[in-house]
């Protein structure tokens, strides 16, 4: 049944169509919850004789950083003004914290004949803005200025508190990074504070993404793997930690993956908004959490990301670069085969690979092979021989041996303990402080005096055949170069001979003795 409302002295009209707007800032306001806002908006709708037809609930959205048209749910109603009559917020700061945004909102309401209502205005009573009066517009801007000033004060206060906590090596709060969870910790100065500990499920996902990047996967490929495998997104990871409902539509984006992989947060460092590491006066990084990967893995990741950046931005260094450069070589001199052309009987030109080395001499003819058939044969042979093998990535975590440092600290404690009874006043206080600091460090090291090195093999979800089929010509060449594949072109015996009879596919494995020596060197370096 359609609700009716009656104006004094007038005829019945349809009830006003009301939309309730709820916003909760990233700066969590303990006095304003979505439930409280909803209750007050409902009461205000009843007071004006309106019927609630929908809600615009934008949670974890800052009014300082987003205008009303930049909020997902509110923008829907603003873009469909024919569907409603009145927009109600709990307070003005739930709507805007900017004079410019308030002016735009007022201009919109005046243009479309809409009513903007705030359930709690100055003095606590309901406030409705009347855009037919110049004085009302002035009052509106004054209130918006107060909301803007309050918002800036909140930001400055939070920034100051965060800077103080960061200088002490604490986690200052905010969105929880992927792979971590907040934990209470007692720090060396004896005070408690928040610290980012490892969240096992998401930390493993983050490490698996890092392993794929080291293996040469692009940001887009890693993003696709994360979405296809159903890996929890950063948004839903934070929702789980906060006990909120997850967003079923949340997806991984390449920009998110890129930021996650390139961030020094992987090492537990405190980073700025620009991604740079915050450092102490002595140059050492400020830590805010545990390291998810070792320094060696971090360096491997940076090298892999640099290689991809160079490949993406730089053109080939050689004019004669082709899809088999470095893979296809001459059987006689071992030199690379280069692109050339020969003229067919009908006058057309056909691309070929030819050895141009000067080491052949007249008595040894230079081999040549048709380019298209050679490329097709090499690619097919690669898939036939290696396509079924599953790709893996080895992540090495070096061991930790604190035993020498523990013995040194014990010796220092004994020396200081022998000196302390002979000292008085300030000198005794200094020595006692040094002993307390050494004792704290000694307790930390004794908790884990020795950890053996670990090698973790992360199995990728694709085979070499999958990677090869999805790759570009240049990516296929890099894969073959990385596997030390060489294809030799045999001596010329006529153009009509099948190309497979003239090509030899081989994997250049290191000599067993050299390989064993390399392994010994690696083990001794741990």
């Amino acid at each position: 049944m359609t609700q009716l409302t009656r104006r004094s002295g007038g005829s019945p009209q349809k009830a006003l169509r009301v939309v309730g707007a709820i916003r909760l800032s990233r700066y969590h306001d303990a006095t304003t919850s979505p439930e409280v806002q909803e209750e007050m908006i409902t009461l205000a709708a009843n007071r004006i004789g309106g019927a609630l037809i929908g809600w615009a609930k934008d949670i974890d959205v800052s009014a300082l950083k987003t205008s009303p048209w930049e909020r997902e749910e509110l923008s829907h109603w603003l873009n469909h003004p024919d569907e409603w009559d009145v927009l109600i917020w709990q307070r003005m700061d739930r709507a805007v914290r900017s004079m410019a945004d308030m002016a735009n909102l007022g201009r919109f309401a005046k243009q479309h004949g809409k009513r903007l209502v705030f359930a709690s205005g100055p003095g606590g009573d309901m406030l409705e803005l009347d855009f037919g009066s110049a004085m009302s517009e002035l009052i509106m801007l004054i209130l918006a200025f107060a909301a803007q000033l309050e918002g800036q004060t909140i930001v400055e206060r939070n920034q100051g508190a965060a800077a103080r906590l960061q200088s002490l090596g604490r986690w200052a709060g905010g969105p929880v990074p992927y792979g971590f969870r907040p934990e209470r910790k007692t720090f060396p100065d004896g005070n408690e504070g928040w610290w980012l500990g490892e969240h096992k499920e998401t930390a493993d996902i983050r490490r698996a993404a890092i392993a794929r990047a080291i293996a040469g996967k692009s940001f887009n490929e890693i993003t696709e793997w994360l979405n296809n495998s159903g890996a929890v997104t950063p948004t839903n990871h934070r929702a789980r930690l906060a006990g909120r409902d997850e967003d079923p539509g949340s997806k991984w984006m390449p920009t998110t993956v890129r930021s996650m992989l390139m961030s020094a947060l992987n090492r537990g460092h405190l980073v700025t908004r620009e991604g740079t590491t915050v450092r102490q006066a002595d140059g050492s990084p400020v830590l805010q959490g545990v390291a998810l990967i070792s320094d060696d893995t971090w360096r491997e990741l940076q090298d892999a990301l640099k290689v991809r950046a160079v490949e993406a931005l730089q053109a080939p260094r050689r004019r004669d670069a082709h899809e088999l450069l470095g893979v296809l070589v001459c059987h006689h001199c071992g030199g690379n085969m280069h692109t050339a052309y020969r003229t067919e009987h009908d006058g057309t030109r056909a691309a070929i690979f030819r050895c141009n080395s000067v080491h052949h001499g007249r008595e040894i003819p230079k081999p040549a092979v048709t380019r298209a058939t050679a490329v097709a044969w090499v690619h097919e042979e690669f898939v036939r021989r290696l396509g079924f093998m599953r790709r893996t990535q080895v992540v090495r975590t070096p061991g930790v041996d604190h035993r020498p440092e523990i013995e040194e600290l014990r010796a220092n404690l004994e020396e200081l303990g022998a000196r302390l009874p002979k000292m008085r006043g300030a000198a005794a206080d200094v020595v006692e402080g040094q002993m307390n600091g050494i004792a704290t460090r000694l307790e930390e090291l004794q908790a884990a005096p020795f950890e053996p090195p670990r090698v973790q093999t992360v199995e990728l979800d694709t085979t070499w055949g999958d990677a090869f089929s999805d790759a570009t010509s240049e990516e296929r060449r890099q894969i073959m170069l990385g596997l030390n594949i060489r294809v030799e072109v045999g001596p010329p015996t006529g153009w009509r001979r099948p190309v497979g009879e003239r090509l030899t596919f081989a994997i250049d494995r290191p000599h067993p003795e050299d390989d064993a020596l390399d392994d010994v060197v690696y083990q001794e370096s741990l």
Side-chain angles (χ1 to χ4, degrees):
M1 180 176 178
T2 304
Q3 290 184 344
L4 299 178
T5 182
R6 182 183 299 274
R7 294 182 178 177
S8 58
S11 58
Q13 296 182 354
K14 288 185 178 180
L16 294 169
R17 298 169 298 172
V18 177
V19 172
I22 294 175
R23 184 191 64 78
L24 190 63
S25 175
R26 291 190 181 94
Y27 308 107
H28 297 290
D29 189 347
T31 64
T32 306
S33 67
E35 292 77 13
V36 172
Q37 294 184 47
E38 184 174 338
E39 180 181 355
M40 295 185 68
I41 290 170
T42 302
L43 291 174
N46 293 334
R47 285 184 61 183
I48 65 173
L52 281 163
I53 63 168
W55 293 90
K57 297 182 179 181
D58 294 297
I59 307 301
D60 285 339
V61 175
S62 169
L64 282 172
K65 299 178 181 178
T66 61
S67 71
W69 282 267
E70 293 173 326
R71 301 169 203 165
E72 183 177 359
E73 296 200 13
L74 180 57
S75 63
H76 167 78
W77 295 104
L78 294 176
N79 293 328
H80 297 83
D82 296 335
E83 299 179 5
W84 56 276
D85 304 308
V86 185
L87 199 54
I88 302 181
W89 286 271
Q90 182 207 16
R91 299 194 310 263
M92 181 173 286
D93 62 355
R94 297 299 96 194
V96 296
R97 283 195 184 272
S98 163
M99 294 178 65
D101 289 345
M102 190 69 251
N104 292 334
L105 199 58
R107 192 178 300 113
F108 167 86
K110 187 174 183 179
Q111 177 183 355
H112 294 279
K114 303 301 177 183
R115 296 170 63 180
L116 303 183
V117 177
F118 304 98
S120 177
D125 197 10
M126 188 175 71
L127 170 67
E128 179 175 353
L129 297 178
D130 178 11
F131 298 99
S133 167
M135 183 58 67
S136 296
E137 293 188 14
L138 176 60
I139 295 174
M140 171 192 71
L141 291 179
I142 292 174
L143 294 174
F145 172 75
Q148 178 175 334
L149 186 62
E150 180 188 12
Q152 291 175 344
T153 302
I154 292 173
V155 171
E156 292 172 0
R157 184 171 66 245
N158 287 343
Q159 288 176 343
R164 172 60 178 166
L165 290 174
Q166 291 168 0
S167 67
L168 298 175
R170 273 66 159 172
W171 179 58
V176 181
Y178 197 77
F180 297 90
R181 67 184 310 153
E183 296 177 353
R184 296 292 290 178
K185 174 183 175 181
T186 301
F187 291 87
D189 59 6
N191 295 319
E192 282 194 2
W194 286 104
W195 176 258
L196 291 177
E198 178 178 323
H199 183 263
K200 185 66 169 62
E201 177 189 355
T202 53
D204 285 345
I205 294 172
R206 189 162 186 156
R207 282 189 285 261
I210 290 172
R212 281 165 169 77
I214 294 175
K217 289 290 188 179
S218 67
F219 297 133
N220 288 332
E221 290 172 322
I222 297 174
T223 302
E224 184 179 1
W225 165 74
L226 288 167
N227 284 323
N228 292 341
S229 63
V232 59
T233 63
T235 298
N236 287 337
H237 168 57
R238 292 191 288 268
R240 289 182 181 180
L241 293 179
R244 299 197 307 266
D245 293 336
E246 298 183 30
D247 179 7
S250 179
K251 296 291 184 182
W252 285 90
M253 301 298 291
T255 52
T256 305
V257 173
R258 180 180 184 276
S259 299
M260 182 178 71
L261 293 176
M262 300 186 70
S263 176
L265 263 171
N266 292 304
R267 308 173 75 184
H269 293 183
L270 174 65
V271 296
T272 64
R273 290 181 180 273
E274 293 74 26
T276 57
T277 297
V278 178
R279 298 190 178 276
Q280 300 176 0
D282 60 358
S284 60
V286 176
L287 301 180
Q288 66 172 347
V290 298
L292 299 184
I293 59 175
S294 66
D295 291 341
D296 289 340
T297 302
W298 170 258
R299 285 188 286 269
E300 289 181 21
L301 174 62
Q302 299 311 299
D303 291 342
L305 295 178
K306 288 177 183 177
V307 168
R308 291 202 62 84
V310 170
E311 290 177 352
L313 297 177
Q314 292 185 349
R317 292 176 293 175
R318 305 177 55 146
R319 289 185 178 182
D320 60 349
H322 56 76
E323 54 268 71
L324 295 181
L325 183 63
V327 176
L328 195 66
V329 298
C330 173
H331 76 99
H332 175 71
C333 65
N336 288 326
M337 303 289 287
H338 301 285
T339 304
Y341 294 90
R342 66 181 175 85
T343 304
E344 301 286 0
H345 297 296
D346 58 1
T348 59
R349 300 181 68 202
I352 63 173
F353 291 132
R354 181 190 297 279
C355 178
N356 295 331
S357 174
V358 297
H359 300 292
H360 280 260
R362 295 182 179 179
E363 68 282 0
I364 303 177
K366 299 176 180 179
V369 64
T370 305
R371 178 174 178 171
T373 53
V375 170
W377 184 89
V378 171
H379 289 175
E380 291 174 3
E381 193 69 7
F382 177 91
V383 174
R384 185 180 71 84
R385 296 190 181 210
L386 303 175
F388 64 93
M389 295 183 180
R390 186 168 291 277
R391 302 179 68 190
T392 58
Q393 175 65 40
V394 177
V395 179
R396 291 185 171 90
T397 303
V400 177
D401 189 357
H402 293 304
R403 290 173 295 186
E405 186 178 355
I406 289 174
E407 293 300 322
E408 183 179 351
L409 291 176
R410 284 175 176 167
N412 290 341
L413 272 180
E414 292 176 0
E415 179 187 355
L416 292 174
R419 292 166 52 190
L420 184 60
K422 304 175 184 179
M423 296 184 177
R424 298 179 182 177
D429 293 340
V430 171
V431 173
E432 187 175 358
Q434 291 175 341
M435 292 182 66
N436 288 334
I438 292 175
T440 300
R441 176 63 176 164
L442 188 59
E443 289 177 359
E444 294 176 356
L445 298 183
Q446 287 176 332
F450 176 75
E451 295 180 8
R454 301 190 305 273
V455 177
Q456 181 183 6
T457 301
V458 178
E459 187 176 87
L460 305 183
D461 59 334
T462 58
T463 63
W464 282 113
D466 296 331
F468 207 71
S469 62
D470 297 336
T472 64
S473 296
E474 175 59 22
E475 289 172 343
R476 291 180 176 183
R477 185 174 77 91
Q478 292 298 331
I479 290 175
M480 290 189 287
L481 290 175
L483 294 175
N484 296 319
I485 291 175
R486 285 170 60 92
V487 179
E488 291 188 354
V489 181
T493 56
W495 289 97
R496 297 184 180 277
R497 187 177 176 185
V499 66
E501 296 181 12
R502 299 190 53 218
L503 303 181
T504 304
F505 188 101
I507 300 177
D508 243 356
R509 287 182 168 80
H511 191 277
E513 191 173 308
D514 295 337
D515 191 36
L517 290 174
D518 290 341
D519 186 60
V520 170
V521 171
Y522 169 74
Q523 293 295 336
E524 291 180 347
S525 68
L526 295 177

